[in-house]
Amino acid sequence: HERIARACDFLEQHQLEDGGWGETPESCAARRYVHAHCGQAVMTSWALLALVAGGRGTSPSVARGVDFLIRRQREDGSYPPEHIAG
């Protein structure tokens, strides 16, 4: 569907250099997308779920996002604290 494709395009266009996705709470006040300075595990996970559900599970963006999560994950399976996800 065209709307799903546009949503996936949006996600791929907003992937950060580190391979993750991240948005700041300022997006709500500004009423526009405001990038975080680096990717966040929770937002990267949401983006990956959406891309896979949208039929892009084998895309380079998904591979980079999975790599981001692997690199960020601690030995005990947790992730470092991150700023609030809105």
Side-chain angles (χ1 to χ4, degrees):
H1 193 277
E2 179 186 340
R3 290 180 182 159
I4 299 296
R6 284 182 28 217
C8 289
D9 290 345
F10 175 88
L11 289 171
E12 289 181 334
Q13 291 164 7
H14 288 84
Q15 188 171 24
L16 297 165
E17 287 296 317
D18 63 9
W21 281 264
E23 182 181 14
T24 67
E26 288 81 34
S27 290
C28 294
R31 300 183 62 89
R32 64 177 174 77
Y33 188 87
V34 179
H35 276 289
H37 69 280
C38 64
Q40 298 170 262
V42 67
M43 291 183 188
T44 299
S45 298
W46 292 338
L48 290 172
L49 289 170
L51 288 168
V52 169
R56 299 199 187 172
T58 60
S59 72
S61 294
V62 168
R64 289 182 58 227
V66 169
D67 184 60
F68 170 84
L69 290 176
I70 290 169
R71 289 190 326 268
R72 293 274 293 164
Q73 191 172 28
R74 295 174 172 170
E75 287 292 319
D76 67 359
S78 68
Y79 290 89
E82 300 171 332
H83 68 78
I84 189 169

